[in-house]
Amino acid sequence: MPVAEQGEVPEEVAELDRALAGIRFRPRASLGAETVGRVRQGGRLKGAVRPRRRRPIAFAAAAAAAAVALVVWAGWSRRVVTVDRCCYDFDGGGVRDDGVLVTARPDERVRRLTLYEDNDNSGDYSSGDLLRFTRGDAPMLLGTAPADLVTIHHCCADFDGGGPADDGLLVVGVPPDRVMMVALYEESRGRPRPRPEYLLR
């Protein structure tokens, strides 16, 4: 078959070409009114952007999820824990048989602190252990300070339940078994900062 020159239609398809050229497209008369009616009834074109009225639902769902996460985090951060650490030589007696119980909100003010001697070698506090010192959230000194007072420093462990091993304990007493005061503190850039009022962070 000879190649047709540019712009010429081959004879085999000339009749089809004439038929296609005679076709004319025009919208029916009712199309405009039909389109307006569908839009008023809430219909939308395929692939069109969703109506704006649905977006507040997505925002409300996201806000509700954020509120739930905030409540869960607040509940976790306000929980009160009791941390039991044993066994150290807190009283200067030369034997690592002393433990400490700290009740606090993690990294916050301590509610109760108890120093005990692990008499039954259980590795934690039990009913048979001897209490050396106990106090609430207010500073206190048991008795008058004698001349042979000794300060014993223990650092660092997680004494307050905050997670990092950045807490230290200062125990003031007379060895081997007299404890007169205890101060809990948190390490700050490697330098101890005693906080006798038990304020952590």
Side-chain angles (χ1 to χ4, degrees), residues 15-98:
E15 187 178 337
L16 177 62
D17 182 60
R18 283 191 295 275
L20 289 174
I23 296 175
R24 297 287 179 262
F25 292 95
R26 151 179 52 160
R28 65 182 183 272
S30 64
L31 181 61
E34 185 180 334
T35 304
V36 171
R38 286 189 181 184
V39 170
R40 284 182 181 163
Q41 292 175 2
R44 63 187 180 92
L45 297 176
K46 191 173 183 180
V49 177
R50 291 188 177 191
R52 295 183 70 83
R53 58 185 165 77
R54 294 189 181 179
R55 289 185 181 172
I57 296 172
F59 289 135
V68 169
L70 183 63
V71 168
V72 170
W73 176 83
W76 179 87
S77 65
R78 302 301 290 171
R79 78 194 195 288
V80 175
V81 297
T82 299
V83 178
D84 186 346
R85 294 282 181 252
C86 186
C87 296
Y88 304 87
D89 179 19
F90 285 133
D91 58 14
V95 181
R96 296 171 61 88
D97 60 353
D98 306 315

Side-chain angles (χ1 to χ4, degrees), residues 148-189:
D148 52 351
L149 209 58
V150 172
T151 299
I152 300 170
H153 171 221
H154 288 274
C155 188
C156 296
D158 178 20
F159 288 121
D160 65 0
D166 59 353
D167 307 313
L169 215 60
L170 286 175
V171 181
V172 180
V174 179
D177 55 15
R178 186 176 175 194
V179 177
M180 301 188 64
M181 190 183 80
V182 179
L184 185 62
Y185 67 90
E186 200 164 277
E187 280 280 324
S188 177
R189 294 184 186 142

